[in-house]
Amino acid sequence: MRTRTAQLLCLIAVLAAGCGQGHSSGGGGGDDGGGQAGNGDADRRARQVAAAWDGSDAAEAWRRGFHPMADLVQLPDHAFRTAADKEAYQMQNFALRGRLPTAAAQKGTVKWGDGRALTLPMMDAREGFGTLDRYSGEGPELVVTGARLGRTELATSRGPATVPAWLFTIRGYGTPLERVALAPSEAPESPIGPAAEVPSDVLWPLEQVKETAQDGRSVTVLAGHGECDDGPAVDVLETGGSVVLSGSIRNPSEGDCPDVLKITKVTVTLARPLGDRVLLDAFTGRPVPYGTEFGRNPSWD
């Protein structure tokens, strides 16, 4: 029987689709993919997802690509000086009061510590500025007075890498705002479909990856839950090729509850560093999306 918490969360997350009983739309291993997860099925579903991905073409394509696991924008030191500056950044309201390099777009190289490299098309300075400045209304603004091409270090699905970045000079700050100059690779098609059409309180999709520890031994994710429960839980299944995270809701309410979707940070400790293993969501059967305050990383758009 679906709890009141699950009903409310379904209403919020998949209102257009309704919240009827879900069914399997994909599978891995030797059975139907788990269907609507039950008390004993979440671990089985996680193992199906791991079996579908480990050794697959999708996993190989994922490892060959450039999939950032950190924000594509690195703020200047001591940002933000004022509440207005912070508001301008959150609104994505930038103003150009100088000249940007006009050289045509080139190729840029991602370099990993183990010697691997990947060359990709690189955006020019004006395109990079356009990814920052997305608001055209009134309000506080951050003023860009120039830019130069440099490099920055970024966490990726294949470990830390150095990547080309546009270093924008921001009026009032002594260090630049760094914007990665490469677009993330497109995520490969998953070899397994979602566990069901809609979530349940025993298997719920994760919102996004928030942070990966520098040593790779823990991952912090954002997980959803309701107003009248004990918050989210995230279980982990580790294999040689993947790490599968299963989100659920602890002690969901059976009674009346406000229609509120709450998002909570959950840190999961791993038995060994994540490395280039694929970080997967048991419910969706896909890599857990990395996101920023402006939404998901373009790898998952």
Side-chain angles (χ1 to χ4, degrees):
M1 179 175 172
R2 200 180 284 266
T3 66
R4 175 63 174 166
T5 297
Q7 291 171 343
L8 292 175
L9 290 176
C10 281
L11 180 62
I12 295 167
V14 286
L15 184 61
C19 287
Q21 179 70 28
H23 64 270
S24 172
S25 57
D31 56 27
D32 66 0
Q36 183 68 34
N39 290 335
D41 290 344
D43 182 67
R44 179 167 68 107
R45 167 66 181 177
R47 294 183 184 282
Q48 291 169 354
V49 172
W53 273 86
D54 289 356
S56 68
D57 291 343
E60 181 59 27
W62 180 264
R63 293 190 181 95
R64 289 197 306 266
F66 169 52
H67 302 288
M69 301 297 285
D71 202 330
L72 299 178
V73 176
Q74 301 299 316
L75 297 175
D77 293 342
H78 310 299
F80 294 97
R81 298 176 309 145
T82 66
D85 282 0
K86 183 175 182 179
E87 182 181 354
Y89 181 72
Q90 291 173 334
M91 292 169 60
Q92 297 182 279
N93 194 21
F94 286 72
L96 181 59
R97 300 286 187 268
R99 300 183 66 179
L100 298 178
T102 57
Q106 309 169 26
K107 297 281 188 177
T109 302
V110 185
K111 297 180 180 179
W112 284 273
D114 60 3
R116 291 178 297 174
L118 179 64
T119 299
L120 296 167
M122 188 171 67
M123 65 182 65
D124 62 27
R126 189 161 291 277
E127 184 180 358
F129 176 78
T131 67
L132 302 172
D133 181 34
R134 297 178 179 272
Y135 180 73
S136 58
E138 297 294 327
E141 57 189 20
L142 287 168
V143 176
V144 172
T145 59
R148 62 183 175 86
L149 186 62
R151 296 188 71 84
T152 191
E153 186 168 298
L154 185 74
T156 77
S157 61
R158 295 164 61 173
T162 59
V163 299
W166 286 109
L167 311 183
F168 291 97
T169 303
I170 307 295
R171 182 180 294 169
Y173 291 88
T175 59
L177 178 149
E178 302 176 357
R179 203 296 176 188
V180 172
L182 305 176
S185 303
E186 183 178 353
E189 183 176 353
S190 175
I192 185 171
E197 288 182 345
V198 295
S200 71
D201 47 38
V202 294
L203 189 58
W204 190 262
L206 299 171
E207 295 294 317
Q208 62 187 49
V209 180
K210 188 66 176 174
E211 183 181 11
T212 302
Q214 190 169 7
D215 63 3
R217 294 297 295 266
S218 67
V219 176
T220 300
V221 297
L222 300 184
H225 64 103
E227 180 73 21
C228 306
D229 53 54
D230 291 337
V234 180
D235 293 323
V236 58
L237 171 69
E238 299 189 47
T239 72
S242 60
V243 173
V244 185
L245 302 181
S246 302
S248 61
I249 298 168
R250 295 185 290 119
N251 298 322
S253 171
E254 295 281 358
D256 291 336
C257 189
D259 293 358
V260 175
L261 175 62
K262 302 180 72 174
I263 304 297
T264 299
K265 289 183 182 180
V266 179
T267 298
V268 178
T269 300
L270 305 180
R272 62 185 180 87
L274 178 63
D276 66 355
R277 293 183 293 171
V278 188
L279 186 66
L280 298 164
D281 184 333
F283 181 86
T284 65
R286 302 184 65 210
V288 184
Y290 177 80
T292 73
E293 60 188 300
F294 301 127
R296 292 183 173 181
N297 183 296
S299 288
W300 291 270
D301 283 351

